[in-house]
PDB file of all heavy atoms in Angstrom:
ATOM      1  N   GLU A 201      29.459  18.583  -4.654  1.00  0.00           N
ATOM      2  CA  GLU A 201      29.074  17.071  -4.707  1.00  0.00           C
ATOM      3  C   GLU A 201      30.290  16.265  -4.693  1.00  0.00           C
ATOM      4  O   GLU A 201      30.378  15.179  -4.008  1.00  0.00           O
ATOM      5  CB  GLU A 201      28.227  16.911  -5.933  1.00  0.00           C
ATOM      6  CG  GLU A 201      27.749  15.451  -6.173  1.00  0.00           C
ATOM      7  CD  GLU A 201      27.024  15.172  -7.412  1.00  0.00           C
ATOM      8  OE1 GLU A 201      26.612  16.138  -7.971  1.00  0.00           O
ATOM      9  OE2 GLU A 201      26.835  14.052  -7.795  1.00  0.00           O
ATOM     10  N   ARG A 351       3.744   2.746  -7.972  1.00  0.00           N
ATOM     11  CA  ARG A 351       3.331   4.215  -8.343  1.00  0.00           C
ATOM     12  C   ARG A 351       3.712   5.088  -7.293  1.00  0.00           C
ATOM     13  O   ARG A 351       3.917   4.706  -6.082  1.00  0.00           O
ATOM     14  CB  ARG A 351       1.765   4.224  -8.492  1.00  0.00           C
ATOM     15  CG  ARG A 351       0.996   3.806  -7.378  1.00  0.00           C
ATOM     16  CD  ARG A 351      -0.401   4.002  -7.464  1.00  0.00           C
ATOM     17  NE  ARG A 351      -0.759   5.418  -7.191  1.00  0.00           N
ATOM     18  CZ  ARG A 351      -2.009   6.026  -7.088  1.00  0.00           C
ATOM     19  NH1 ARG A 351      -2.938   5.199  -7.401  1.00  0.00           N
ATOM     20  NH2 ARG A 351      -2.157   7.189  -6.863  1.00  0.00           N
ATOM     21  N   VAL A 360      -1.475  10.933   3.112  1.00  0.00           N
ATOM     22  CA  VAL A 360      -1.080   9.952   2.067  1.00  0.00           C
ATOM     23  C   VAL A 360      -2.062   8.838   1.902  1.00  0.00           C
ATOM     24  O   VAL A 360      -2.445   8.208   2.939  1.00  0.00           O
ATOM     25  CB  VAL A 360       0.425   9.389   2.236  1.00  0.00           C
ATOM     26  CG1 VAL A 360       0.852   8.500   1.110  1.00  0.00           C
ATOM     27  CG2 VAL A 360       1.400  10.571   2.470  1.00  0.00           C
ATOM     28  N   ASN A 441     -23.842  -6.726  41.633  1.00  0.00           N
ATOM     29  CA  ASN A 441     -24.694  -5.347  41.441  1.00  0.00           C
ATOM     30  C   ASN A 441     -23.982  -4.687  40.284  1.00  0.00           C
ATOM     31  O   ASN A 441     -24.495  -4.019  39.490  1.00  0.00           O
ATOM     32  CB  ASN A 441     -24.598  -4.534  42.656  1.00  0.00           C
ATOM     33  CG  ASN A 441     -25.428  -5.285  43.758  1.00  0.00           C
ATOM     34  OD1 ASN A 441     -26.400  -5.874  43.589  1.00  0.00           O
ATOM     35  ND2 ASN A 441     -25.104  -4.869  45.019  1.00  0.00           N
ATOM     36  N   GLU A 655     -23.378 -18.454 -24.391  1.00  0.00           N
ATOM     37  CA  GLU A 655     -24.680 -18.082 -23.865  1.00  0.00           C
ATOM     38  C   GLU A 655     -24.745 -17.892 -22.415  1.00  0.00           C
ATOM     39  O   GLU A 655     -25.543 -16.961 -21.766  1.00  0.00           O
ATOM     40  CB  GLU A 655     -25.785 -19.150 -24.274  1.00  0.00           C
ATOM     41  CG  GLU A 655     -25.992 -19.277 -25.726  1.00  0.00           C
ATOM     42  CD  GLU A 655     -24.831 -20.105 -26.395  1.00  0.00           C
ATOM     43  OE1 GLU A 655     -23.968 -20.782 -25.657  1.00  0.00           O
ATOM     44  OE2 GLU A 655     -24.786 -20.235 -27.602  1.00  0.00           O
TER      45      GLU A 655
END
Side-chain angles (χ1 to χ4, degrees):
E201 176 185 347
R351 53 173 286 184
V360 181
N441 291 335
E655 295 77 11

